[in-house]
Amino acid sequence: MAVEINKIAIKDQPKHLLGIQNLSIQEAKAILEEAKTFIKLNRSTSKKLEVLRGKTQINLFFEPSTRTQSSFDLAGKRLGADVMTMNVANSALKKGETLMDTAMTLNAMHPDIIVIRHQDSGAPNLLSQKVNCTVINAGDGRREHPTQALLDALTIINRKGKIEGLKIAICGDILHSRVARSNIYLMNMLGAEVNVIAPKTLMPKSIERLGVKSFTNMKNGLDGCDIVMMLRLQNERMQGSFLPSKREYYEFYGLTPEKLKFANKNALIMHPGPMNRGVEIDTKLADDINVSLVKEQVELGVAVRMACLKMYCKK
Amino acid sequence: MTEKFLTNVRIIDPSQKMDEKGSVIIGENGKIKFIGKDIKKKDASSSAEVIDLKNNILIPGIVDMKAFVGEPGYEYKENFRTLSHAALAGGVTSIVTMPNTKPLIDNVSMVDFIIRRGRDKASVNLFPSATLTREIAGKQMTEFGLLSAKGIIGFTDVIKTVQSTETMSKIMDYASDIGVLIMQHVEDYELSKNGCINEGEVSTRLGLEGISYIAEKIIIERDLSLLNEFSCRYHINQISSKESLEVIKRNKENGLNFSVGVSINNLSLNENDIGDFKTFLKVSPPLRLEEDRLALVQGVESGLIDVIVSDHTPEDEEGKRLPFSQAATGAIGIETLFPLALEMYHNETLSLEKIVQALTINPAKILKINKGTLKKGSDADICIFDLNTPWVIKADLLKSKSKNTAVEDRKVQGKVLMTFLNGELAFESQ
């Protein structure tokens, strides 16, 4: 079955991975199947493949990132690609030169893949119109972070066996979160029921139109959930008066062992990282290997990104 | 010039409640000599040039209350010549030009420049506006009296709103005494901060910061409260939401005297048209929901909205080829204003009379200019169009120097055939 799905995906090979919104269910499943094959490889002693030998991958990060950047870096290298990482966040490139200029410059170097993280929503879409290579979105503004959602899906499948029929809660700063949006699309697509939980000021308008139920309290929102995804309270994006205090936020929305009891008995916790311990999640809970999937998410992230790079790279 | 006898045409001139088949005689002085159903060839002099208009429609030349011309400072976006060509091709004969040029039109010497330059280079009637506050900083009012004396038609900060209530009350108080026209952009910056599209499903999906309708409504509420105290000539440049319309309705019904405009963009597009980050549809105020659009159309029909403007904002490609939140705001529109307005006639949401009224006599009255009418003795500024010809809007064929149209590839019905300016044929469709 998996092989068949792969064939479909390769035949209609999409050129870019810009968001889960642009993905078909077959494509999403094919990526997850492909990623499964890399989990074992990544745990073995010899991790190097030659699938992307001779290919050039440029990681173009306009926003600081640790885990996503290193994850893509490693994924490309394990597949045998030549990986170059450009950290534009702190360079002169950021000032004065437009995204288009940067794109044209890089395009002239004939890369096969550009992995882009940008603070503006839609930047990868714009880039994809101007370059000849594959563009993979590693997070744009508050719009999408497709590989994060895919690795979350893989992590859930790895533990629960499936996604269909599960009830998943996404809690926290939904308004500023691309992770939340990508996960809403993907989990819905794969047959889960999705609840979003946030204070009203951090809930985007018309979020129900994306096919979720919205809640402003943890008790109702977590009821019957199998997975609890916590989001980072994005301090750097908190320009304005969204909340009275971190203390009050933790009181009502921070995930504690007590609040986790509102969810299903075997509920598991996820977090895209980096965590604000004591703000959105109790520090012991975050480290509890019986319920927390945080480390697994990071591990499977590499596998998912290897799958994306392999499947989207021009042959 | 020779006298002209325009015949075999349906005349629609809301200023004299005229909608009849007849003829128009343009005198040698470039003014309307006779107009109406009773006018015959014998009323014209024997040497008059006869123009058979083949049952098409004739209206007063359109008065556009809001267009940006790039001079001075942004000649690469638009200049007087290109703006004139675009306007005439769209049946527009009078334009209120915006003062947010470089340098700004906020002092007397700049007015001299723009009037001289316009006279030399433009081939339409120009009515320059000046900024409402110095350096459009929202702090100190410009020299309303001196600037008006130089020929400034009204005062606006174009895309900026005076945020300080205190400053705005002083402006209105002062303006009420000398009788100048204040044209306000209505947006509360604290509420609209960083926003670039309507706040709603589309902003949530695209991950863009939204602008709530409240940002518009709250400034309208504030200004109309002030207007109750200081009754000056007050005009709201553009509104975008049905909630604003409710405030306007309440105040107009209470007898408050002010006028309201709407951009053709907000009448013919909604937020869904933005699709996958189409920056050409990034406009201010933002495109909102379909129900807002319908309410605005209804507002024109009911007369709550007085004028339709093009909000012609030329931007070069550089400014638009950026991530959406960084991209320049605005779309060209002076040439497509009328065909898009006719769309609402064809889909039966607006009457032809209302459309023409909102494009001719209403703006002329607000501006207190002797335009937008074809009464005997008026300047013969005329637009003649075919109501039914279908065509497709193509940016490359538009006459504006910039090509940032929000309605590329749109199929429209109705085409301007001829435009007369002061009795002279200034544009003829090929």
Side-chain angles (χ1 to χ4, degrees):
Chain A
M1 182 64 194
V3 177
E4 261 181 54
I5 291 171
N6 277 345
K7 267 186 190 158
I8 296 170
I10 289 164
K11 194 178 75 189
D12 305 319
Q13 194 179 37
K15 208 168 154 21
H16 310 290
L17 178 59
L18 301 176
I20 304 290
Q21 282 179 95
N22 319 88
L23 225 52
S24 71
I25 188 161
Q26 286 85 357
E27 285 163 347
K29 284 186 171 167
I31 294 170
L32 293 171
E33 286 301 325
E34 183 78 43
K36 279 182 191 168
T37 67
F38 292 121
I39 299 176
K40 233 188 213 160
L41 177 86
N42 285 337
R43 287 176 183 163
S44 70
T45 48
S46 174
K47 305 180 179 70
K48 188 96 170 173
L49 293 180
E50 299 209 328
V51 181
L52 295 186
R53 205 168 87 153
K55 305 285 184 192
T56 304
Q57 171 190 340
I58 298 179
N59 296 336
L60 186 57
F61 278 65
F62 287 85
E63 238 182 20
S65 153
T66 321
R67 55 189 76 200
T68 306
Q69 187 179 310
S70 49
S71 187
F72 268 111
D73 201 17
L74 212 51
K77 283 174 179 160
R78 285 191 182 163
L79 292 173
D82 295 316
V83 183
M84 182 178 83
T85 294
M86 291 185 67
N87 223 321
V88 193
N90 309 311
S91 92
L93 259 182
K94 200 177 179 186
K95 298 184 186 79
E97 194 175 76
T98 66
L99 176 63
M100 288 301 52
D101 293 334
T102 312
M104 298 324 285
T105 308
L106 293 179
N107 200 40
M109 299 178 192
H110 301 292
D112 300 282
I113 305 173
I114 294 177
V115 176
I116 178 178
R117 150 99 34 125
H118 200 280
Q119 61 278 5
D120 288 321
S121 302
N125 307 50
L126 184 64
L127 182 72
S128 71
Q129 293 163 15
K130 306 295 168 197
V131 294
N132 301 324
C133 67
T134 295
V135 172
I136 293 184
N137 181 4
D140 64 324
R142 41 170 92 169
R143 192 183 75 103
E144 283 239 37
H145 192 349
T147 56
Q148 176 71 42
L150 287 161
L151 77 87
D152 288 341
L154 186 64
T155 308
I156 296 170
I157 292 170
N158 215 27
R159 275 296 185 100
K160 297 270 184 188
K162 59 171 182 142
I163 286 179
E164 197 171 354
L166 293 183
K167 197 162 166 185
I168 298 171
I170 306 176
C171 326
D173 184 359
I174 310 281
L175 179 66
H176 297 103
S177 176
R178 52 193 172 219
V179 175
R181 285 172 177 76
S182 284
N183 263 312
I184 288 170
Y185 302 130
L186 186 62
M187 299 306 158
N188 262 334
M189 189 195 281
L190 297 174
E193 192 181 321
V194 182
N195 286 356
V196 290
I197 311 167
K200 280 197 84 173
T201 46
L202 292 177
M203 189 74 92
K205 289 283 175 302
S206 310
I207 188 79
E208 298 82 8
R209 298 290 293 271
L210 271 54
V212 298
K213 285 194 188 127
S214 73
F215 297 88
T216 51
N217 79 67
M218 294 285 268
K219 190 174 180 202
N220 296 342
L222 290 181
D223 185 41
C225 285
D226 306 287
I227 301 288
V228 183
M229 287 185 184
M230 298 307 295
L231 297 172
R232 178 183 165 80
L233 186 66
Q234 307 206 6
N235 277 321
E236 68 267 28
R237 297 247 176 81
M238 294 284 272
Q239 310 159 342
S241 44
F242 290 96
L243 295 170
S245 73
K246 282 184 184 172
R247 190 168 63 178
E248 179 154 328
Y249 182 78
Y250 184 69
E251 177 67 24
F252 293 106
Y253 297 96
L255 189 64
T256 55
E258 294 73 48
K259 291 202 194 89
L260 188 60
K261 284 181 189 144
F262 299 136
N264 265 353
K265 209 173 77 193
N266 300 321
L268 298 171
I269 304 169
M270 303 176 80
H271 195 298
M275 284 185 279
N276 292 313
R277 290 163 186 270
V279 178
E280 70 253 357
I281 191 162
D282 174 83
T283 188
K284 276 188 199 147
L285 201 54
D287 296 330
D288 183 348
I289 50 166
N290 293 316
V291 291
S292 170
L293 298 178
V294 175
K295 282 180 196 142
E296 222 166 305
Q297 285 175 275
V298 178
E299 185 198 347
L300 300 193
V302 179
V304 158
R305 284 164 186 135
M306 287 169 79
C308 293
L309 292 172
K310 183 185 166 189
M311 292 176 66
Y312 282 81
C313 185
K314 244 184 342 196
K315 291 289 175 292
Chain B
M1 68 179 261
T2 56
E3 213 170 84
K4 292 187 184 69
F5 179 67
L6 279 51
T7 189
N8 197 16
V9 70
R10 176 179 167 194
I11 303 162
I12 302 178
D13 180 7
S15 74
Q16 42 189 333
K17 296 203 173 358
M18 183 181 282
D19 184 352
E20 61 200 34
K21 219 182 142 201
S23 305
V24 179
I25 297 172
I26 303 172
E28 286 174 358
N29 57 0
K31 295 187 188 297
I32 303 291
K33 195 171 168 190
F34 296 112
I35 185 165
K37 59 178 186 296
D38 303 324
I39 308 306
K40 299 280 180 291
K41 175 76 176 69
K42 64 177 167 46
D43 299 316
S45 67
S46 54
S47 61
E49 179 188 354
V50 178
I51 302 174
D52 181 358
L53 294 175
K54 298 171 187 153
N55 276 318
N56 285 305
I57 306 180
L58 181 151
I59 61 171
I62 292 166
V63 181
D64 187 355
M65 268 183 83
K66 191 162 185 265
F68 179 76
V69 54
E71 295 191 52
Y74 300 99
E75 289 82 359
Y76 61 97
K77 295 181 184 177
E78 193 83 279
N79 60 39
F80 282 116
R81 189 176 53 81
T82 53
L83 180 72
S84 301
H85 289 169
L88 292 169
V92 177
T93 51
S94 296
I95 304 172
V96 176
T97 57
M98 292 297 109
N100 52 335
T101 46
K102 198 163 73 187
L104 298 163
I105 315 294
D106 65 353
N107 62 70
V108 171
S109 62
M110 283 309 300
V111 180
D112 282 340
F113 166 82
I114 193 167
I115 287 179
R116 233 179 318 115
R117 182 85 185 150
R119 191 183 53 215
D120 294 347
K121 296 288 174 189
S123 46
V124 288
N125 304 305
L126 293 180
F127 298 94
S129 62
T131 65
L132 188 57
T133 61
R134 280 173 193 259
E135 294 168 351
I136 52 175
K139 296 209 169 70
Q140 190 186 3
M141 65 182 98
T142 49
E143 296 160 324
F144 294 167
L146 293 174
L147 289 163
S148 297
K150 282 284 180 183
I152 286 297
I153 191 92
F155 297 85
T156 180
D157 280 353
V158 198
I159 45 164
K160 295 241 176 154
T161 306
V162 177
Q163 297 292 302
S164 154
T165 309
E166 198 244 344
T167 305
M168 196 60 205
S169 67
K170 295 285 189 294
I171 285 173
M172 289 168 97
D173 199 4
Y174 189 81
S176 66
D177 181 49
I178 52 177
V180 294
L181 175 66
I182 305 300
M183 303 183 287
Q184 176 87 299
H185 173 79
V186 282
E187 180 178 339
D188 182 301
Y189 293 157
E190 284 184 354
L191 291 175
S192 71
K193 186 172 55 183
N194 301 330
C196 48
I197 62 171
N198 179 46
E199 184 180 59
E201 186 188 345
V202 174
S203 68
T204 294
R205 277 188 191 279
L206 295 181
L208 295 170
E209 287 197 50
I211 303 174
S212 162
Y213 66 84
I214 306 171
E216 181 173 291
K217 182 179 162 186
I218 204 160
I219 294 290
I220 298 177
E221 298 253 29
R222 179 199 74 176
D223 281 5
L224 295 183
S225 290
L226 293 173
L227 189 63
N228 254 311
E229 302 299 316
F230 316 108
S231 47
C232 65
R233 288 168 63 206
Y234 177 80
H235 175 76
I236 299 169
N237 273 346
Q238 285 157 258
I239 61 164
S240 64
S241 79
K242 66 176 196 307
E243 285 81 5
S244 298
L245 213 50
E246 280 159 24
V247 179
I248 286 159
K249 182 163 192 267
R250 181 164 21 97
N251 281 279
K252 280 199 169 178
E253 281 172 359
N254 286 343
L256 199 60
N257 203 2
F258 62 100
S259 55
V260 180
V262 67
S263 153
I264 191 68
N265 297 321
N266 293 90
L267 287 179
S268 43
L269 296 161
N270 68 35
E271 61 168 8
N272 293 318
D273 294 306
I274 292 166
D276 200 14
F277 299 100
K278 283 186 210 148
T279 55
F280 282 17
L281 278 80
K282 181 180 178 183
V283 293
S284 172
L287 303 175
R288 298 195 189 269
L289 303 174
E290 176 63 7
E291 62 189 74
D292 288 303
R293 189 192 72 81
L294 288 171
L296 294 172
V297 174
Q298 182 55 38
V300 176
E301 182 66 33
S302 69
L304 287 176
I305 295 175
D306 303 271
V307 301
I308 304 173
V309 298
S310 71
D311 190 23
H312 182 78
T313 311
E315 290 292 345
D316 64 345
E317 277 196 24
E318 287 295 298
K320 286 287 187 182
R321 270 195 190 161
L322 289 170
F324 200 92
S325 60
Q326 294 176 29
T329 303
I332 56 167
I334 204 161
E335 193 173 341
T336 48
L337 167 65
F338 191 44
L340 285 175
L342 287 176
E343 220 171 48
M344 290 173 278
Y345 163 76
H346 289 295
N347 65 25
E348 296 176 359
T349 48
L350 272 187
S351 66
L352 210 45
E353 189 203 349
K354 283 286 178 188
I355 293 172
V356 176
Q357 198 177 339
L359 290 171
T360 59
I361 187 62
N362 284 2
K365 274 184 183 163
I366 293 164
L367 296 165
K368 296 192 173 173
I369 56 176
N370 189 20
K371 297 285 177 188
T373 177
L374 296 175
K375 280 183 185 161
K376 206 169 148 176
S378 336
D379 297 333
D381 294 345
I382 296 173
C383 162
I384 293 150
F385 67 98
D386 171 354
L387 188 58
N388 295 314
T389 307
W391 60 290
V392 181
I393 295 171
K394 291 282 178 200
D396 289 348
L397 300 178
L398 296 177
K399 296 189 165 46
S400 214
K401 198 163 183 176
S402 296
K403 304 297 178 192
N404 57 313
T405 173
V407 287
E408 175 73 347
D409 289 331
R410 183 122 161 178
K411 295 180 180 74
V412 288
Q413 204 182 345
K415 204 169 172 79
V416 174
L417 301 174
M418 289 180 210
T419 308
F420 286 85
L421 188 75
N422 292 316
E424 299 277 13
L425 183 63
F427 166 81
E428 187 167 13
S429 161
Q430 297 306 308

